[in-house]
Amino acid sequence: MDEDYSSNISLNLSTDFFSSVLTKKKKGFRAEPREKEGNSSHGPDTSQSPIRRERQNSKRKRTEHTDNKQISKRKRTEHTDNRIIGKKSDIISSLFRKNPEIPTITSAAVETVKENVFTGQTFKDLPIHPFLVSNLEQKQGFTYLTEVQKKAIPALLNKKDALIRSQTGSGKTLAYAIPIVQSLQARKLRIQRDDGPYALVIVPTRELALQSYETFLKLLKTFIWIVPGCLMGGEKRKAEKSRLRKGVNILVATPGRLIDHIKTTQVLRLARIQWLVIDEADRMLELGYEKDMAQILNALRAQCTDPPQTVLLSATLSQGVERLSSISLTEPEHIDMNQQVARHSSHHNPGADPGANPGADQDFAVPSQLQQLFILTPCKLRLVTLAAFLLWKCRYSNPASKMIVFLSTQDSVQFHTKLFHKLLVRPKNTIDTSTTPELADGIQQNINFYQLYGDMPQRERQETFSKFSQAASGVLLCTDVAARGLDLPRVDWIVQYTPPGPVVDYVHRVGRTARAGTQGHSLLFLLPSEAAYIQELNKHKISLSQLQMSTVLQPLVANIKDLPQAGHVSAKHPSPRTQEEAATFLQDRFEELVLAHKTIHGLAGKGFQSFVKAYATLGRELKDIFKVNDLHLGHVAKSFALREAPTSVHSVAARSGADHKLAKRGKRPLTFRQATLSEYSDGLGNDKVMAKLGTKEPPKKKKRLSALSS
């Protein structure tokens, strides 16, 4: 703004006066004109003629009508709870007024479920090839077996089917990859590339498919005659068919793309399949892949002479997973690393809706080295609190942290990435380390922002995944597409900016840190009205500690000049001296940036709309906690740096550049349901998948699950 910061505060204090004046004007009250000398102040001026009095009354009515029109026009542009500040009538709202009271929540002292990760046993103790042992220990850096590997690998080497359940980050991928490689290299007749696939690994997402494929690449460096391959959405079918024609021995695939090749690619033969791995089975069923899994199992039964050895891995045991295991596994070895976990309600409630609420009656194991925090913030302060936390941990701390921030929709991811990149990333040539020498290293580090969501082009998704994996620090803003199974190394913080919904989703999100025995931290953002979610987590043996908002905002006061747009801070515009002033200053910069950039403005509108819709679609078992009707939409708009009233946001979102590009191509923008489904799209395109699922309600779950037994 052009006005003095202190004058803004003084003008803010006179809000009631301005609002009372506007109210009186709108109601038609006007000060009476000064009476002429000699006229009585207790009655009308009878000295004037009736014609003159009529003319004056008509003129007064016209003036009142004009004033009322101007006031109405001004009111239409005002945000709920806004104030008029400055000569330019910039309309901004106070961050620290009319907010709900922040309660002090004490998380219950629960007995957390602990699961040991590492054992004292090494890979040399396993009956596997020495070349494979040397590869694991010397080249890959693995020394000790994890608990799940210790129990799973011997069982799988004995050619038994297995149902494996373990916490995230416990090494489940190697638990099935090592036995597959060992069995294939030990065949008397060496495997030829053109034999086709001997092992089939099915995973729900593209990133997990790529990660599993790279794991096999590393393990097979000493057995180069065994060729791995990958099929996933977003890749060109022609290139995949070419790879299948040349020959692939270990095939990693997403369900939709695999079904597409089974139906259309003649060179894909499944007759030699000896291993079938279904990874993240619970997520597979949640995403509606029951029909695809049924078709894959039927294709294997039709082509394979002997049923393959099957491994089913899942972090939770829902009724859908148990049903799938009963169909695909034969006398399986149950490897459950959490012996204290209660079985799902299927044991005592067989009439429940299958898969409706996975994990409802389970106690979840999280790594003991994970520190879990939560913070209660009023809705208007969410944006500045998140930005302050990113600055605190990724710029003002040394060394800088590596962080994943989960948001509900891809519109929200795009908006926050562009906003933070514009305001929080400072060019290196403008950094003055002389003012804060104790933070020089942290400031020089700067912040790198990455984004990941389902509707990104496959090349960009793969590039983002690779860059963030190799980065020493930075912030990845993403949707739940990165919540399952991904092994992103050295992640220090998991920030859940939007509510995860079911407790099982919370567990999967925080599972991206504190992996394989390393230290990690997590932070859960909640509104004061959502505080009951802490008790919901306590019911599942998960305990969190509260982080005060003042602790997060305090670093802003000393480092506010470090912002790129801190030119507003000068002798005329003094630096904020309190947390309230610093937060207001940062919020003003966000709002001015949104108003100045048309693209970011449009993304803010779309992010606001998709956030509200996603909030309304949270599971019915949590409707008593996350009530969309209790959201203050004006405050939600404030958290997206919007100065428009909620009723005007639709026109803001309609001006988004992305929608205009789609319109020029003759395409309609994705609906909310289509955009949600695209997070885990199999890459078949909107014409075959999105057109079906985006316009119709999904089939009933009982019918979908019945396809598994067909």
Side-chain angles (χ1 to χ4, degrees):
M1 294 184 187
D2 298 330
E3 293 75 11
D4 185 30
Y5 186 86
S6 60
S7 66
N8 284 352
I9 299 177
S10 63
L11 286 172
N12 291 348
L13 300 177
S14 60
T15 305
D16 296 336
F17 170 75
F18 285 120
S19 60
S20 62
V21 171
L22 292 178
T23 304
K24 288 183 179 181
K25 286 186 176 183
K26 188 171 183 180
K27 291 183 178 180
F29 292 100
R30 288 181 53 82
E32 291 292 332
R34 182 177 296 177
E35 307 233 5
K36 295 182 179 180
E37 294 182 3
N39 291 343
S40 173
S41 60
H42 301 287
D45 184 6
T46 57
S47 62
Q48 295 180 353
S49 65
I51 297 177
R52 186 173 183 180
R53 287 200 302 272
E54 184 66 25
R55 288 177 178 174
Q56 288 184 349
N57 290 336
S58 299
K59 184 178 180 181
R60 181 185 304 167
K61 290 180 180 180
R62 288 195 299 270
T63 305
E64 290 175 355
H65 180 67
T66 303
D67 290 344
N68 287 335
K69 287 178 64 178
Q70 293 177 350
I71 294 173
S72 298
K73 183 177 180 180
R74 183 185 303 170
K75 284 289 184 180
R76 284 195 298 269
T77 62
E78 288 185 0
H79 190 285
T80 304
D81 240 6
N82 285 352
R83 298 184 289 180
I84 301 176
I85 298 178
K87 297 179 181 179
K88 295 182 180 180
S89 297
D90 290 333
I91 299 173
I92 62 174
S93 64
S94 172
L95 290 179
F96 294 90
R97 292 180 66 248
K98 297 185 179 181
N99 285 324
E101 183 179 354
I102 300 178
T104 300
I105 304 296
T106 303
S107 184
V110 299
E111 183 180 355
T112 58
V113 180
K114 296 182 180 180
E115 176 183 328
N116 296 326
V117 178
F118 286 104
T119 66
Q121 189 174 352
T122 64
F123 288 98
K124 293 180 181 179
D125 300 324
L126 295 175
I128 58 178
H129 198 284
F131 289 174
L132 185 56
V133 173
S134 62
N135 184 11
L136 288 167
E137 293 185 348
Q138 298 177 13
K139 296 183 180 180
Q140 309 304 327
F142 299 113
T143 304
Y144 295 102
L145 292 170
T146 64
E147 286 286 347
V148 66
Q149 292 167 359
K150 178 182 176 180
K151 293 185 177 182
I153 293 176
L156 296 179
L157 289 176
N158 290 331
K159 299 183 179 180
K160 291 184 178 180
D161 289 1
L163 173 59
I164 302 175
R165 177 175 182 254
S166 180
Q167 70 180 32
T168 58
S170 58
K172 292 193 293 292
T173 303
L174 284 179
Y176 68 78
I178 290 175
I180 290 177
V181 174
Q182 170 63 22
S183 64
L184 295 184
Q185 66 83 27
R187 289 175 60 88
K188 293 182 179 180
L189 294 177
R190 176 174 288 193
I191 290 175
Q192 301 297 321
R193 181 172 184 174
D194 55 5
D195 289 347
Y198 284 87
L200 178 61
V201 180
I202 306 174
V203 295
T205 64
R206 305 177 192 178
E207 283 73 26
L208 186 53
L210 185 62
Q211 178 178 289
S212 302
Y213 167 70
E214 291 178 348
T215 299
F216 279 108
L217 277 179
K218 294 175 182 178
L219 292 179
L220 292 171
K221 285 185 176 180
T222 53
F223 310 109
I224 58 175
W225 62 88
I226 304 175
V227 180
C230 187
L231 304 176
M232 59 184 177
E235 295 289 340
K236 295 181 179 179
R237 291 183 184 83
K238 187 175 181 180
E240 291 180 339
K241 288 182 179 181
S242 176
R243 289 197 293 269
L244 291 173
R245 191 176 295 109
K246 292 178 181 178
V248 172
N249 302 127
I250 300 176
L251 184 60
V252 182
T254 53
R257 182 52 65 93
L258 178 60
I259 285 294
D260 183 47
H261 281 290
I262 289 176
K263 293 179 178 179
T264 61
T265 306
Q266 296 180 356
V267 295
L268 177 59
R269 300 184 303 272
L270 305 177
R272 298 179 184 270
I273 293 291
Q274 297 180 356
W275 287 85
L276 172 62
V277 178
I278 305 174
D279 199 0
E280 296 290 343
D282 52 347
R283 191 57 173 169
M284 201 95 66
L285 300 179
E286 288 174 19
L287 296 174
Y289 284 125
E290 295 92 343
K291 185 177 179 181
D292 291 339
M293 291 306 304
Q295 293 179 3
I296 292 171
L297 293 176
N298 290 335
L300 288 172
R301 291 169 185 166
Q303 298 187 39
C304 295
T305 306
D306 299 322
Q309 182 179 352
T310 304
V311 185
L312 193 148
L313 302 99
S314 178
T316 59
L317 294 180
S318 65
Q319 287 187 352
V321 173
E322 292 178 350
R323 184 178 180 87
L324 177 59
S325 66
S326 65
I327 296 170
S328 58
L329 303 178
T330 303
E331 298 181 357
E333 184 86 12
H334 288 269
I335 301 173
D336 192 343
M337 301 311 303
N338 181 12
Q339 300 297 333
Q340 302 177 23
V341 172
R343 285 293 180 179
H344 192 266
S345 58
S346 60
H347 294 282
H348 53 77
N349 186 15
D353 186 11
N357 186 15
D361 296 328
Q362 295 185 19
D363 297 337
F364 296 100
V366 295
S368 57
Q369 67 275 12
L370 172 64
Q371 182 185 11
Q372 301 177 85
L373 304 173
F374 72 94
I375 184 171
L376 298 178
T377 59
C379 195
K380 287 191 293 185
L381 283 159
R382 280 168 52 83
L383 181 61
V384 292
T385 305
L386 175 61
F389 185 79
L390 298 182
L391 290 170
W392 177 27
K393 293 299 180 181
C394 297
R395 177 175 293 176
Y396 306 148
S397 298
N398 191 13
S401 298
K402 188 174 182 180
M403 188 180 301
I404 299 177
V405 180
F406 284 100
L407 300 105
S408 55
T409 66
Q410 64 184 46
D411 293 326
S412 186
V413 170
Q414 290 177 325
F415 163 70
H416 286 90
T417 303
K418 287 187 177 294
L419 184 73
F420 291 157
H421 184 77
K422 282 284 186 181
L423 187 64
L424 303 186
V425 177
R426 189 171 186 180
K428 292 184 178 180
N429 56 1
T430 63
I431 298 175
D432 182 13
T433 59
S434 61
T435 57
T436 53
E438 70 280 1
L439 297 175
D441 294 338
I443 294 176
Q444 287 285 7
Q445 183 76 36
N446 219 332
I447 307 178
N448 295 319
F449 287 97
Y450 308 87
Q451 61 178 354
L452 184 66
Y453 52 87
D455 203 35
M456 288 177 65
Q458 180 59 30
R459 181 175 296 180
E460 293 183 17
R461 288 176 66 166
Q462 187 170 340
E463 183 179 358
T464 298
F465 180 74
S466 176
K467 285 185 177 180
F468 185 73
S469 297
Q470 299 172 7
S473 64
V475 179
L476 174 67
L477 295 104
C478 62
T479 59
D480 276 340
V481 71
R484 298 282 185 123
L486 295 187
D487 185 16
L488 296 165
R490 302 181 303 279
V491 174
D492 303 304
W493 280 91
I494 298 297
V495 178
Q496 303 189 55
Y497 185 59
T498 54
V503 178
V504 62
D505 290 341
Y506 170 87
V507 174
H508 279 292
R509 284 181 173 185
V510 299
R512 299 315 100 208
T513 187
R515 299 177 68 84
T518 59
Q519 297 293 323
H521 310 79
S522 68
L523 178 62
L524 173 64
F525 274 74
L526 292 174
L527 301 177
S529 61
E530 301 167 350
Y533 190 68
I534 301 301
Q535 282 72 39
E536 185 68 21
L537 293 173
N538 293 158
K539 294 178 183 178
H540 297 269
K541 306 297 184 183
I542 298 174
S543 180
L544 295 84
S545 303
Q546 185 170 3
L547 177 65
Q548 297 297 330
M549 188 172 60
S550 58
T551 305
V552 178
L553 295 179
Q554 184 59 38
L556 278 181
V557 180
N559 301 284
I560 198 70
K561 291 184 179 181
D562 183 49
L563 294 179
Q565 295 192 19
H568 295 262
V569 178
S570 61
K572 186 177 180 181
H573 298 269
S575 176
R577 291 173 292 181
T578 65
Q579 295 180 15
E580 290 78 6
E581 292 178 0
T584 303
F585 178 88
L586 184 58
Q587 179 71 22
D588 290 346
R589 304 291 80 75
F590 280 135
E591 294 180 7
E592 291 171 0
L593 182 64
V594 168
L595 287 176
H597 293 79
K598 182 179 178 181
T599 301
I600 301 179
H601 199 188
L603 288 174
K606 293 182 67 177
F608 166 82
Q609 290 181 322
S610 62
F611 169 81
V612 176
K613 292 177 181 178
Y615 199 91
T617 60
L618 290 173
R620 62 177 180 269
E621 68 276 5
L622 298 174
K623 286 297 184 183
D624 293 337
I625 300 176
F626 303 107
K627 301 177 182 178
V628 67
N629 292 332
D630 290 347
L631 284 180
H632 191 304
L633 297 183
H635 293 181
V636 175
K638 191 71 176 175
S639 69
F640 283 88
L642 289 167
R643 292 185 177 176
E644 288 81 7
T647 54
S648 305
V649 174
H650 177 73
S651 60
V652 173
R655 296 194 294 268
S656 175
D659 287 354
H660 286 308
K661 291 179 181 178
L662 288 173
K664 289 181 179 179
R665 299 174 188 170
K667 299 181 179 180
R668 293 182 179 180
L670 293 179
T671 65
F672 172 73
R673 177 163 174 75
Q674 289 172 340
T676 304
L677 289 168
S678 69
E679 292 302 310
Y680 304 95
S681 171
D682 54 12
L684 297 181
N686 294 337
D687 54 337
K688 298 182 72 174
V689 176
M690 296 305 172
K692 268 186 195 175
L693 299 180
T695 57
K696 297 181 181 179
E697 289 296 322
K700 293 183 178 180
K701 294 189 177 181
K702 288 185 179 179
K703 292 183 179 179
R704 297 198 327 237
L705 285 171
S706 64
L708 293 172
S709 59
S710 60

